Amino acid sequence: MISKEQILSLLSEIPDPEIPVISIIELGVIRDISIIDNASISLKITPTYSGCPAMKQIEDDVRKKLTENGFTNITIITIYSPPWTTDWINAEAKEKLRKYGIAPPENTTEDKSWLTGKIKSIACPRCKSQNTKLISQFGSTACKALYQCSECLEPFDYFKCI
Ligand SMILES: [Zn+2]
């Protein structure tokens, strides 16, 4: 019988539809895997935020990957509690985001700086300067904000903390 580790390794081959440098496992959206037998499997997925268009793509990719590996009875359950947080992206994946040119989420969701009105500056993923400014709350997708570096003048996406 196929092991959970083998399933995790298969799913690690699926890139995030919006950020192809990280896998859906690194993104942290797969919350639970139950292998019933070699043909039947049940997974729990938590969307990065409700209405994220990438989730449909992720679900389709997961079904395709599992079908290719002999599963005929695939159940995907979307769970909303606990809600997905950027804390579920590990340090290694955050470094991949930076190399890709996206500023990774810096604050944990525990950070309440938004309450005090003091917004922490976001470091430029290219030159690491803290001298950056917000251009738009919405970058290339709704889960990112568009920033521009005042040092190297590069615009970049910032993965918003949820
Ligand atoms: Zn810069």
Side-chain angles (χ1 to χ4, degrees), residues 16-27:
D16 175 76
E18 290 175 354
I19 313 158
V21 289
I22 64 169
S23 76
I24 59 165
I25 296 296
E26 289 173 311
L27 189 65

Side-chain angles (χ1 to χ4, degrees), residues 124-129 131-132 149-154 156:
C124 170
R126 289 181 182 83
C127 69
K128 299 202 162 54
S129 165
N131 189 7
T132 59
C149 177
S150 304
E151 298 293 330
C152 70
L153 304 177
E154 283 283 344
F156 63 91

Side-chain angles (χ1 to χ4, degrees), residues 89-110:
I89 302 178
N90 68 26
E92 198 187 325
K94 282 179 183 171
E95 193 47 41
K96 286 186 195 174
L97 286 174
R98 198 188 321 275
K99 289 205 177 100
Y100 187 64
I102 296 172
E106 291 200 349
N107 309 336
T108 67
T109 45
E110 299 300 309

Side-chain angles (χ1 to χ4, degrees), residues 4 8 11 24-34 42-48 55 58 62 76-90:
K4 202 165 173 173
L8 277 172
L11 298 179
I24 59 165
I25 296 296
E26 289 173 311
L27 189 65
V29 294
I30 307 286
R31 302 315 300 167
D32 189 46
I33 298 170
S34 309
S42 168
L43 295 102
K44 289 189 180 131
I45 292 184
T46 295
T48 49
M55 291 314 295
I58 291 174
V62 166
I76 297 178
I77 303 155
T78 305
I79 51 165
Y80 295 93
S81 181
W84 182 85
T85 115
T86 44
D87 297 351
W88 293 354
I89 302 178
N90 68 26

Side-chain angles (χ1 to χ4, degrees), residues 36-50:
I36 298 136
D37 57 45
N38 278 341
S40 307
I41 189 165
S42 168
L43 295 102
K44 289 189 180 131
I45 292 184
T46 295
T48 49
Y49 71 97
S50 82

